[in-house]
Amino acid sequence: MDFGAVLQTNPPASRTVHLAKLAEQHGFSHVWTFDSHLLWQEPYVIYSQILAETHRVKVGPMVTNPATRDWTVTASLYATLNEMYGNRTICGIGRGDSAVRVTNGAPTTLKTLREAIHVIRELANSRSVEYNGAQLQFPWSQGSELEVWVAAYGPLALKLAGEVGDGFILQLADLDIAEWMIASVRDAAEKAGRDPMAIKFCVAAPMYIGDDWEHMRDQNRWFGGMVGNHVADIVAKYGSDGAVPQALTDYITAREGYDYNEHGRSGNTHTAFVPDDIVDRFCLLGSAEQHIEKLKALKELGVDQFAGYLQHDNKEETLRVYGETVIPTMRDHIVAKA
């Protein structure tokens, strides 16, 4: 199992770079960041500095979207970084959340997302693609490699992930929901004539090493609010019965609103509706042993990467314990299973 660290690009940028370097030192293979250019600093500029000061981690957004950037510009960013630092980028993409909603915009359609994935992937892999009626290819790009991983929750988005994604990003760590969503993506891949086992699966959720459960829950309750925004969209489209697991829809009944200016922050005042049991199920909290137990269960479901959000007050210690205990234990566990 690979491990990623998910960072916000809060100023100073040097702090983000420091945490990325620390993640690499502790054995993490990926460094992801939020991508909301108004709420936080521009991630692609910071990626260049991270790549310059690390040796092997891959970097990318969790997640970008097709609405706020021209697709050819996005592809050029990846191809340029790959030329400079040796194919160490990855693209997580979805329909759009905070980056578009903070400007009173809306997520794109799945049709637009599908088209954007194709254009970005072809160009960023040094291939030719048709875009707006023109045949395009970067004449300066050779040998660039980019995987595009799709973030999804709803049935049609999961179907799209299975049909076109190199990987699938699930932003929560509930075992029952993960099992259902992984099965949905694999089923869609198989129906599309793809090898369902070739798609990589990433579960992304807050990780916090500690023993004060009230404090850990309060530090990470924001995540249930973030997920709740997507669930609210699903319920509005499909209703609360049948389309998605009830475990995912029940908890938003008390949701009253959301301020995107507090998005992804501990102490978010619009997440009081999120109960403790949802925080426990969606996140990885507690001792190293408790993290390892849940990671083993996720691995059994077919998860290839766990990406841990670090939007809390215990970043360095959590990275340290993962590097010294959690990651080596999981590595030994996987070798023993093999």
Side-chain angles (χ1 to χ4, degrees):
M1 177 182 278
D2 287 334
F3 288 86
V6 187
L7 309 174
Q8 279 179 347
T9 53
N10 290 309
S14 58
R15 169 76 165 147
T16 306
V17 176
H18 164 74
L19 289 169
K21 292 167 66 176
L22 198 59
E24 180 176 74
Q25 289 165 17
H26 286 305
F28 287 77
S29 58
H30 291 71
V31 172
W32 305 87
T33 74
F34 286 54
D35 179 15
S36 289
H37 58 288
L38 288 168
L39 296 178
W40 304 289
Q41 292 181 317
E42 171 55 43
Y44 287 94
V45 175
I46 298 173
Y47 293 160
S48 189
Q49 192 68 26
I50 291 172
L51 289 166
E53 296 193 27
T54 57
H55 303 284
R56 55 177 183 77
V57 290
K58 289 190 174 183
V59 302
M62 187 176 281
V63 294
T64 193
N65 69 85
T68 56
R69 304 176 190 275
D70 181 273
W71 309 343
T72 63
V73 173
T74 299
S76 182
L77 287 164
Y78 289 116
T80 301
L81 290 171
N82 283 341
E83 191 278 328
M84 293 173 69
Y85 301 107
N87 289 332
R88 290 171 54 203
T89 62
I90 188 167
C91 177
I93 193 168
R95 294 172 58 219
D97 185 35
S98 60
V100 295
R101 295 188 199 264
V102 77
T103 59
N104 293 323
T108 66
T109 65
L110 289 174
K111 179 177 183 291
T112 297
L113 177 59
R114 183 187 296 269
E115 292 171 352
I117 290 169
H118 176 65
V119 170
I120 292 168
R121 180 162 47 206
E122 293 307 293
L123 287 175
N125 281 279
S126 302
R127 296 191 292 260
S128 173
V129 71
E130 184 178 332
Y131 176 69
N132 284 346
Q135 200 68 31
L136 304 177
Q137 186 170 4
F138 298 139
W140 46 265
S141 177
Q142 294 183 354
S144 178
E145 296 177 4
L146 179 76
E147 291 186 350
V148 181
W149 292 26
V150 183
Y153 290 102
L156 291 178
L158 293 170
K159 180 174 179 288
L160 183 146
E163 291 172 347
V164 304
D166 297 304
F168 163 56
I169 297 171
L170 169 58
Q171 290 165 300
L172 57 83
D174 180 275
L175 296 175
D176 293 335
I177 295 171
E179 183 175 19
W180 176 79
M181 289 194 174
I182 289 171
S184 298
V185 171
R186 282 185 171 154
D187 180 63
E190 188 170 19
K191 288 179 179 176
R194 303 181 68 197
D195 178 1
M197 304 307 292
I199 299 174
K200 297 173 183 176
F201 291 94
C202 172
V203 161
M207 57 179 180
Y208 193 115
I209 296 289
D211 56 14
D212 184 340
W213 281 85
E214 181 178 359
H215 181 74
M216 289 189 295
R217 287 166 177 151
D218 286 344
Q219 283 285 301
N220 295 287
R221 201 175 304 275
W222 64 268
F223 184 68
M226 185 184 84
V227 174
N229 298 325
H230 300 286
V231 176
D233 286 345
I234 294 169
V235 171
K237 182 177 179 65
Y238 298 101
S240 57
D241 300 318
V244 296
Q246 196 168 353
L248 188 57
T249 59
D250 279 355
Y251 84 98
I252 69 162
T253 55
R255 180 180 182 271
E256 296 181 350
Y258 192 82
D259 182 356
Y260 272 89
N261 291 303
E262 297 186 46
H263 185 66
R265 297 181 183 175
S266 295
N268 186 319
T269 58
H270 293 80
T271 59
F273 72 92
V274 181
D276 287 350
D277 72 300
I278 285 292
V279 181
D280 295 352
R281 286 164 51 191
F282 283 13
C283 304
L284 270 70
L285 311 176
S287 66
E289 290 72 24
Q290 288 167 313
H291 284 240
I292 290 164
E293 180 182 5
K294 193 163 188 178
L295 288 166
K296 287 180 178 178
L298 288 168
K299 179 62 181 174
E300 289 298 315
L301 295 178
V303 173
D304 299 289
Q305 181 182 154
F306 171 69
Y309 286 89
L310 288 169
Q311 284 64 59
H312 55 63
D313 61 1
N314 199 33
K315 299 176 179 64
E316 279 88 352
E317 177 64 6
T318 296
L319 287 172
R320 183 191 68 80
V321 174
Y322 261 72
E324 294 182 2
T325 303
V326 177
I327 293 176
T329 301
M330 287 301 299
R331 186 184 303 119
D332 292 343
H333 170 72
I334 293 166
V335 169
K337 291 279 288 186

